[in-house]
Amino acid sequence: MATSPQPIKTSIFEHMYERMKRTHWRRRASVFVGPPGIGKSTAIEAFRAKYPQEVVVVSVLKRGITGPQALQQLLQALRTRNGNPATYITNATSQVQQQIAVEIEKVGGGLPRDTSPERFPLLTIVFDEAQRLTNGAIDALRDYNEPHYRCRGTFPLGLIFVGNNELSLKIASDGNSILDAGMGDRLRYSEHLTYDHVERQDIELYVRSLGVSDDGAVNAIVSAFYGPFGDQRSFRRINDLVEDLVDEALDEPITRDTVRAVLGTWV
C-alpha cells in the first residue's frame, strides 16, 4: 500500500495550519470547511502535535449533536487532557457545566477568574467532523469562547470547527445553519476550501512522497487530476491511483507508460 511517511506541507496544509495557530494564540474561534481528502485532518494532527498540552481534538462521531451532548464531549476532552479520562458523565447539564468549570480551573493552575488574562495558559479545542454538530451545540460551546471575565470558565478557550461541505458557513437566524449571527461575528477565520485549492505542485509533491520518481509518470498523474479527475482532486484518490500503479508496475519503476496502462487514453 502506498503511504506517505510524514505530513506533506501542501498549500491547504500550510493555509490551515497557520490560521489555526493564529486562532490559538488569540484565544479565538474559527471554522474551516472543505471536501474529503484535501488534508484537513493532516493539518489538525500537525497542529495538535505542535501544541500537545494546549490543543485538544474532539472527533464528533455521530450526527445531530445537541448542546448538552456537546458539553459532555467538551468535559470528556478536558478530563482526558488533565489525565483523568473518567468514563461516566452525567446527563444533568448543570452538573456537566460545573465539572467543566473545575477542569478549566485545573488547566489554569487554580488561578481565580480575576487574574490578569495573560497569566492563563492557552487552550484550544478542535472539533473535527463539525458538520455533525447542531446550532444548539455551537451555541452551548461559544459561552467558553467569550472574552476574559465574560466567559463561562475562568479563562476563554479557543475553538476551531473543521468539517466537510455539509457544514454551511451561511449565517442563519432560523436554526437551519449551525452558525448564527453571534457566533459568526466572533469567528477569526471562516473559510470554505475546495478541490480548486489543491495546486499542481501539491499533487507533484504528494506523488513523489509516495515513491513515484519518474518525471513522465508524475506529470501524467498531475495532468489526470487537472483534467478528467479534476472534480475529485482528493489526496485519497491520488493515493488510490498510486496503489494501482504499484500493482501494475510489478516491482518495476512507475513510468508514464504505467500510468497510461491504468488510465488508458485519459493521459
Side-chain angles (χ1 to χ4, degrees), residues 1-2 203 206-208 210-225 229 237-264 267:
M1 177 178 178
I203 298 176
Y206 186 69
V207 168
R208 291 188 184 279
L210 297 177
V212 181
S213 58
D214 179 81
D215 290 341
V218 171
N219 291 335
I221 295 170
V222 172
S223 296
F225 282 95
F229 304 144
R237 298 287 77 80
I238 297 168
N239 190 88
D240 290 345
L241 173 58
V242 173
E243 287 185 343
D244 289 343
L245 295 174
V246 170
D247 293 341
E248 178 70 23
L250 297 175
D251 296 327
E252 295 295 324
I254 295 171
T255 66
R256 181 183 290 272
D257 289 339
T258 315
V259 181
R260 285 200 184 104
V262 171
L263 297 182
V267 296

Side-chain angles (χ1 to χ4, degrees), residues 100-101 104-105 113 143-144 148-156:
I100 289 174
I104 292 176
E105 189 173 355
R113 174 185 292 273
D143 288 342
Y144 296 92
H148 201 83
Y149 305 120
R150 299 213 316 264
C151 58
R152 187 174 285 275
T154 52
F155 66 95

Side-chain angles (χ1 to χ4, degrees), residues 10-131:
T10 64
S11 302
I12 289 176
F13 175 95
E14 296 281 15
H15 183 88
M16 278 189 63
Y17 184 73
E18 288 302 317
R19 281 156 178 74
M20 286 191 293
K21 286 197 301 184
R22 294 172 193 170
T23 302
H24 175 60
W25 294 336
R26 293 171 175 81
R27 307 179 194 270
R28 295 287 299 276
S30 290
V31 176
F32 300 94
V33 174
I38 61 171
K40 302 188 302 295
S41 294
T42 301
I44 290 171
E45 177 53 29
F47 177 50
R48 185 205 61 76
K50 175 69 174 178
Y51 304 102
Q53 295 302 311
E54 299 177 6
V55 173
V56 177
V57 178
V58 175
S59 295
V60 184
L61 299 178
K62 68 176 185 177
R63 295 182 181 276
I65 294 294
T66 64
Q69 291 171 331
L71 293 179
Q72 289 175 321
Q73 291 202 346
L74 174 60
L75 175 58
Q76 183 62 56
L78 290 170
R79 283 178 170 175
T80 300
R81 185 267 177 206
N82 291 340
N84 181 33
T87 55
Y88 174 75
I89 294 180
T90 178
N91 288 321
T93 299
S94 61
Q95 292 182 32
V96 171
Q97 289 171 329
Q98 291 171 1
Q99 292 165 8
I100 289 174
V102 169
E103 297 301 328
I104 292 176
E105 189 173 355
K106 287 180 183 177
V107 176
L111 294 174
R113 174 185 292 273
D114 59 359
T115 302
S116 180
E118 62 271 11
R119 292 185 58 191
F120 286 91
L122 295 171
L123 180 62
T124 293
I125 313 297
V126 181
F127 288 85
D128 195 13
E129 303 294 349
Q131 73 277 359

